[in-house]
Amino acid sequence: MKLYEILAETLQQRIEQGFYLVGTKLPSVRQLSTEHQVSIATAQQALWLLEQQNWVEVRPKSGFYVKVRKQPIQMPQVSRFTQYPVEVSQWPEVLQLLSNRFADGMLNLGRGICDLQTSTLKPVQRLLADMAKDERILAYDTLPGCLEVRKQIAHLSLSSGTSVHPEDVITTTGCQEALSISLKAITKPGDVVAIESPSFYGLMQMLNALGLKALEIPTHPTEGISLDALELALDQWPVRAILVVPSFSNPLGGSMSDENKQRLLKLAQTYDLPIIEDDIYGELGYRQPRPKTIYSFDKEGRVILCSSFSKTLAVGLRVGWVLPGRYRERVLHMKYIGTASTVMLTQMAIAQFIEQGYYERHLRKMRLQYQAGRDAFVRQVQQYFPEETRASFPQGGFMLWLELPSSVDSIVLAQRMEQHRVKIAPGGIFSASGKYRNCIRLNYARGTEAAALEAVKLLGEEVKQMLTSNANGK
């Protein structure tokens, strides 16, 4: 953590502990600088960060004051255990979400797209232009991928507790391919895969296409997948693989503790199962150091780790990777019969972006921005949605999961919001068994902007109108 982040966290803790009461003035910048032995600039940055996070407010010509904070919204409820594996459907609903992505004036809060307009991405564009002059981009890449970017991925993995060699890394066309070839390498049609519930709709459709059945395991909005429910499922059903997003899961945003990650690994050892770990949001934690991966605890090679630069940099770069462990040869084969080669241009540009120090600076900015977006969306939900609304409170990523009153149909709500040129993701597509009809997922990557805040306000008003219509029998 940066020095100003440490100071901001210290001040936040003092507010939570009642040392600074609501309405009271915080020490001046100069006083904080002296008391904590930091520079004036560091003290100012800490106070600005607290203002972004809605802990304090600035009163002109007076200073920073502790804000009144509303009672936190209740967390979404953990779903009931699905008693048996099911085949996935919901493709029409997913296709509807994916359609008209570039329609003029459409604000898309439904897709998992990071901020593509931030100034910290400008070096990527310059590097892409520079690399376009390299004749290597016209040739096939090696099957494992560009060595330069694999070296950088291996280096980045150290922050997650993972020590790997560049030869352990296989690059892919995004995380979607990494997950797909991993599933193909360890399953066959008809097999059962244990997944979180709710879970990413892209994963659901992947299971559908591969002829696999989903066994949905209840997942807590802060703690991640229920290991008790998973163990019960493993006793009852011939599960072939476990697929989890242990750090800032999509859509709930929960994160497993290191203790639970190790317990999950022991379960996999007991039942002799592979784990596919989706770590695509792992770098986007609001507090550092970032979470460890399950892969970092694995000594047997049974964990396959998949990730990508799609959420941390840009979706259009389409560079992901897989650490396949003991399944390396099968995963390589699946890549070969699929795409065979990852695009060299984007791999080379990303490698340079990381090596020249741009990546870490970009991540620092995005983490602060996404945390501010989360807080802004949650405040809008508190103010404009019915009191029964429940909301997640992720510590990383840029996805918010809302549980609306039970009578609200999110499919109908999504259709109504499209009339206002706003897209949302209805909850049903995050379940293989049709759960979460009264839930939605929102993207807050640009959540502090006026258009996004107005859209959330409008969304809350639509929900209230639907409740009124339902109450009147319309």
Side-chain angles (χ1 to χ4, degrees):
M1 295 177 68
K2 293 293 183 181
L3 197 54
Y4 74 89
E5 294 175 316
I6 295 172
L7 177 56
E9 188 170 289
T10 299
L11 295 174
Q12 177 185 323
Q13 289 172 352
R14 290 186 178 185
I15 293 171
E16 291 176 322
Q17 294 164 359
F19 187 82
Y20 299 126
L21 298 177
V22 171
T24 60
K25 183 179 179 180
L26 290 179
S28 68
V29 170
R30 192 170 298 278
Q31 287 173 317
L32 289 174
S33 172
T34 302
E35 179 185 351
H36 296 276
Q37 298 183 335
V38 298
S39 68
I40 295 283
T42 296
Q44 285 179 324
Q45 283 184 301
L47 290 170
W48 289 337
L49 178 56
L50 288 174
E51 183 187 12
Q52 268 190 321
Q53 296 172 347
N54 204 38
W55 286 99
V56 302
E57 62 184 353
V58 180
R59 297 182 186 175
K61 299 181 180 180
S62 181
F64 289 86
Y65 287 78
V66 179
K67 288 187 69 171
V68 175
R69 291 176 68 85
K70 293 184 178 182
Q71 287 291 334
I73 299 177
Q74 285 189 302
M75 287 285 181
Q77 300 177 83
V78 179
S79 66
R80 293 181 179 178
F81 180 47
T82 302
Q83 296 297 322
Y84 48 86
V86 296
E87 295 179 354
V88 180
S89 55
Q90 290 93 25
W91 172 238
E93 291 86 349
V94 173
L95 188 59
Q96 174 64 22
L97 176 64
L98 301 179
S99 65
N100 300 321
R101 284 181 291 168
F102 306 108
D104 292 340
M106 180 71 76
L107 178 61
N108 198 331
L109 300 180
R111 297 294 307 280
I113 300 175
C114 54
D115 182 7
L116 303 179
Q117 299 179 32
T118 175
S119 61
T120 49
L121 288 179
K122 288 183 178 178
V124 173
Q125 296 174 305
R126 175 178 59 78
L127 288 166
L128 285 168
D130 292 343
M131 294 296 168
K133 303 170 187 176
D134 193 316
E135 62 183 19
R136 287 180 295 170
I137 70 168
L138 302 177
Y140 276 127
D141 186 17
T142 61
L143 186 55
C146 171
L147 181 58
E148 289 96 325
V149 79
R150 287 191 284 129
K151 286 179 178 178
Q152 295 301 328
I153 291 168
H155 178 71
L156 292 174
S157 297
L158 292 172
S159 65
S160 66
T162 305
S163 179
V164 299
H165 191 274
E167 291 300 317
D168 299 325
V169 182
I170 300 171
T171 64
T172 59
T173 305
C175 194
Q176 195 85 338
E177 185 189 21
L179 292 168
S180 176
I181 62 177
S182 298
L183 281 167
K184 290 176 182 177
I186 60 176
T187 63
K188 62 182 185 302
D191 281 347
V192 177
V193 178
I195 61 171
E196 298 169 335
S197 182
S199 191
F200 172 49
Y201 58 80
L203 168 64
M204 295 291 181
Q205 296 308 312
M206 200 180 303
L207 297 179
N208 182 339
L210 296 177
L212 302 172
K213 294 182 179 179
L215 184 57
E216 296 183 77
I217 308 298
T219 301
H220 193 276
T222 60
E223 299 171 9
I225 192 168
S226 169
L227 297 181
D228 290 336
L230 175 61
E231 187 169 10
L232 179 63
L234 296 180
D235 279 336
Q236 291 182 331
W237 297 100
V239 173
R240 183 64 190 88
I242 303 167
L243 201 160
V244 291
V245 189
S247 298
F248 319 122
S249 65
N250 176 14
L252 285 174
S255 286
M256 298 175 68
S257 66
D258 286 351
E259 180 183 2
N260 280 348
K261 288 173 184 175
Q262 292 177 74
R263 184 185 164 195
L264 173 58
L265 184 57
K266 287 181 180 177
L267 277 176
Q269 292 167 342
T270 300
Y271 291 87
D272 192 23
L273 294 173
I275 296 174
I276 299 178
E277 177 179 13
D278 182 350
D279 189 50
I280 195 168
Y281 292 97
E283 292 281 9
L284 293 178
Y286 305 146
R287 295 187 179 184
Q288 297 298 300
R290 59 145 292 161
K292 289 186 176 180
T293 59
I294 302 172
Y295 187 97
S296 68
F297 298 109
D298 181 26
K299 306 302 180 186
E300 301 177 337
R302 71 171 62 248
V303 178
I304 303 174
L305 186 142
C306 302
S307 194
S308 168
F309 293 106
S310 295
K311 308 304 180 185
T312 54
L313 276 178
V315 291
L317 294 175
R318 308 312 301 144
V319 176
W321 67 91
V322 55
L323 303 178
R326 65 170 74 165
Y327 308 100
R328 176 179 172 79
E329 295 306 314
R330 286 150 71 182
V331 169
L332 270 176
H333 187 209
M334 292 303 110
K335 179 183 177 181
Y336 175 71
I337 64 174
T339 56
S341 176
T342 310
V343 175
M344 279 292 289
L345 174 60
T346 49
Q347 291 184 87
M348 291 164 60
I350 288 173
Q352 285 296 307
F353 186 81
I354 299 169
E355 186 176 340
Q356 295 178 22
Y358 295 116
Y359 187 59
E360 185 53 44
R361 275 175 272 178
H362 170 74
L363 285 178
R364 285 200 299 268
K365 180 183 178 183
M366 291 300 98
R367 290 167 186 146
L368 290 174
Q369 177 178 318
Y370 296 156
Q371 184 175 14
R374 176 202 65 186
D375 294 343
F377 267 35
V378 168
R379 287 195 297 272
Q380 292 294 92
V381 172
Q382 286 178 307
Q383 185 168 355
Y384 296 109
F385 280 65
E387 288 186 5
E388 313 95 286
T389 302
R390 294 170 176 259
S392 62
F393 197 72
Q395 299 302 310
F398 44 83
M399 300 297 186
L400 187 69
W401 182 254
L402 299 184
E403 181 184 327
L404 307 173
S406 59
S407 62
V408 176
D409 187 327
S410 60
I411 297 288
V412 175
L413 179 61
Q415 293 168 350
R416 292 176 64 147
M417 289 305 297
E418 284 202 7
Q419 296 174 9
H420 299 289
R421 313 294 292 169
V422 176
K423 271 188 177 289
I424 61 173
I429 63 176
F430 297 89
S431 168
S433 56
K435 300 177 184 178
Y436 315 117
R437 288 283 295 202
N438 63 318
C439 298
I440 59 174
R441 190 196 70 178
L442 301 177
N443 179 326
Y444 56 78
R446 301 176 65 84
T448 59
E449 295 184 354
L453 295 174
E454 181 61 28
V456 177
K457 175 184 176 182
L458 181 60
L459 182 59
E461 292 171 349
E462 284 288 352
V463 172
K464 288 180 178 178
Q465 288 180 19
M466 290 178 68
L467 286 177
T468 300
S469 296
N470 291 341
N472 293 334
K474 295 181 180 179

